Amino acid sequence: MSADNAVETLSWSGCAVTGHLVMIDQTLLPSEVRYLECRDVSTVWEAIKMLRVRGAPAIGIAAAYGFVIGLQSTNHEDEGEYYRVAQQTAEYLASSRPTAVNLFWALNRMQQLCHSLRGELELTEITQKLLEEAQTIHQEDREMCRSIGQFGAKLLGEDVHGVLTHCNAGGLATAEYGTALSVFFTAQDMGKELHVFVDETRPLLQGARLTAWELMQRGIQATLICDSMAAQVMKEGRVHAVVTGADRIAANGDSANKIGTYSVAVLARAHGIPFYVAAPSSTFDLSLESGDQIPIEERQPEEITHGFGRQTAPDGIEVYNPAFDVTPADYIDAIITEKGIIQPVTFENINHILQVL
Ligand code: MRU
């Protein structure tokens, strides 16, 4: 999870040609800390699909390593075959989950490097360079998370003690330290006393299973609530700011995040509480004008009717299970990035802070 915690979300073991990806299996947390070794690309695909690794930046990093794994078994003497497999591997990994843009961002980056080296190096050297690129993506994410924490902690003024977050945007969702949780961790490192209200995050309980666990590991005061209790704790005056992560942010600032985030943003606005999104530049998709164009993943009905193995709804009931929703930019007081704070959230400010224009 981080340099100063025992748990590491993702790591690579061994050399480029025979090494493998190791990840903590997040579906088993908090009751079991077990590591999964990914030695073939279908294991990486399944791990992303089944949320063994989840959270936008962590998915991107896993896919980058998965791209290397996909190339390991190819004939390193046959260039045509190597590049065919590279294309297939990228397409296959990209089909695992649709919403988090970091997945596509990381795979594009790997493919671009792969193509730029064609004919320049031996294929085994290209595989080595690709592993180095995956490790760079991994390291950059560590740095982006730290920087988001530094910028974000400044937004939590003296009168902010109670904060609320939804889903898990912590070390488990990133290389380490997280995005939304990095803001809390950094504030705590600076001596601030925070009390974090953790939405359990139906239906897969990333808040209860992962965020609560991470906050407890770091000794941050935390209270777990059901998603439906957020309005009540806000009305009681116990929440002074909300910080969440994001899976994809459109050019106008509309932000997709775990289902339920939009309702938290509406509640925050109704109670006059600032709502902040914390995300690295790799989570922006400036090719999309607005959040209406963000693809929303729909998951299996069983996640709702048979959550964690127990039937909780009648057989045959119709179910709708979108995994994400989009919070309109109007409801977001600021977006905290590794390059600075976007406030107010406008097309111009996004371009300015991301240094696109
Ligand atoms: O379905 P998940 O668990 O992958 O959803 C994750 C989230 O919605 C996170 O809030 C988001 O990816 C930000 S992670 C820093």
Side-chain angles (χ1 to χ4, degrees):
M1 191 160 76
S2 92
D4 38 320
N5 273 56
V7 174
E8 213 170 353
T9 309
L10 294 155
S11 61
W12 181 265
S13 174
C15 73
V17 183
T18 59
H20 61 274
L21 173 63
V22 182
M23 62 174 70
I24 185 165
D25 183 344
Q26 298 189 33
T27 61
L28 303 175
L29 287 170
S31 49
E32 194 182 335
V33 176
R34 195 195 298 169
Y35 289 90
L36 172 70
E37 295 187 353
C38 302
R39 294 175 186 275
D40 55 63
V41 72
S42 58
T43 306
V44 180
W45 186 93
E46 194 270 355
I48 296 173
K49 180 82 187 165
M50 300 311 292
L51 278 55
R52 299 185 199 288
V53 59
R54 33 69 49 206
I59 293 172
I61 299 163
Y65 285 123
F67 186 77
V68 177
I69 293 170
L71 285 167
Q72 285 176 334
S73 53
T74 57
N75 179 356
H76 277 66
E77 303 299 321
D78 182 340
E79 192 185 72
E81 164 76 2
Y82 187 89
Y83 278 90
R84 258 192 309 281
V85 171
Q87 183 62 28
Q88 281 164 5
T89 303
E91 283 172 16
Y92 176 55
L93 288 168
S95 71
S96 56
R97 295 189 75 189
T99 304
V101 77
N102 307 60
L103 173 71
F104 311 99
W105 170 86
L107 287 169
N108 280 342
R109 198 163 144 172
M110 298 299 285
Q111 271 187 302
Q112 267 176 21
L113 178 70
C114 191
H115 284 286
S116 73
L117 296 175
R118 189 167 190 164
E120 300 286 321
L121 297 173
E122 299 287 325
L123 295 177
T124 45
E125 292 171 322
I126 294 179
T127 306
Q128 172 60 34
K129 290 279 179 215
L130 289 168
L131 174 60
E132 286 166 17
E133 185 70 357
Q135 288 167 329
T136 301
I137 289 172
H138 197 167
Q139 179 56 24
E140 284 175 5
D141 191 67
R142 285 189 187 97
E143 289 161 16
M144 290 193 287
C145 288
R146 292 285 173 163
S147 180
I148 286 170
Q150 293 291 331
F151 282 115
K154 293 188 195 123
L155 281 175
L156 306 182
E158 270 181 24
D159 44 352
V160 173
H161 299 292
V163 289
L164 184 142
T165 192
H166 190 76
C167 193
N168 172 267
L172 290 164
T174 60
E176 62 167 39
Y177 231 60
T179 55
L181 293 198
S182 175
V183 174
F184 303 156
F185 297 153
T186 309
Q188 177 178 261
D189 291 346
M190 292 167 146
K192 191 168 182 59
E193 289 263 329
L194 286 177
H195 188 128
V196 185
F197 288 90
V198 181
D199 276 359
E200 66 175 353
T201 315
R202 285 275 293 149
L204 296 180
L205 307 187
Q206 287 92 332
R209 294 186 303 103
L210 310 176
T211 299
W213 184 77
E214 281 197 45
L215 292 169
M216 289 183 77
Q217 295 244 321
R218 287 185 187 271
I220 297 192
Q221 232 191 322
T223 298
L224 178 63
I225 56 171
C226 299
D227 301 347
S228 49
M229 297 168 188
Q232 181 62 19
V233 289
M234 287 183 184
K235 192 166 171 224
E236 289 169 6
R238 298 163 81 185
V239 178
H240 312 125
V242 175
V243 189
T244 73
D247 285 80
R248 194 185 294 226
I249 303 175
N252 69 346
D254 291 353
S255 300
N257 192 50
K258 177 54 51 197
I259 191 74
T261 304
Y262 177 28
S263 24
V264 175
V266 173
L267 291 176
R269 179 60 54 88
H271 291 88
I273 298 165
F275 179 90
Y276 303 124
V277 168
S281 49
S282 52
T283 298
F284 286 76
D285 183 351
L286 302 181
S287 73
L288 305 185
E289 263 174 48
S290 82
D292 295 344
Q293 295 158 287
I294 298 176
I296 301 294
E297 176 182 15
E298 250 190 79
R299 294 186 64 87
Q300 295 301 310
E302 290 74 24
E303 290 181 352
I304 294 178
T305 59
H306 294 72
F308 303 96
R310 178 163 179 264
Q311 182 165 356
T312 54
D315 287 330
I317 185 70
E318 191 179 302
V319 171
Y320 177 47
N321 185 17
F324 299 93
D325 57 27
V326 176
T327 299
D330 283 352
Y331 285 90
I332 304 171
D333 291 277
I335 303 179
I336 308 156
T337 77
E338 81 281 11
K339 296 177 191 238
I341 294 173
I342 299 166
Q343 187 174 35
V345 180
T346 61
F347 174 84
E348 291 74 22
N349 281 345
I350 290 172
N351 284 292
H352 173 64
I353 294 288
L354 297 184
Q355 292 143 23
V356 176
L357 293 180

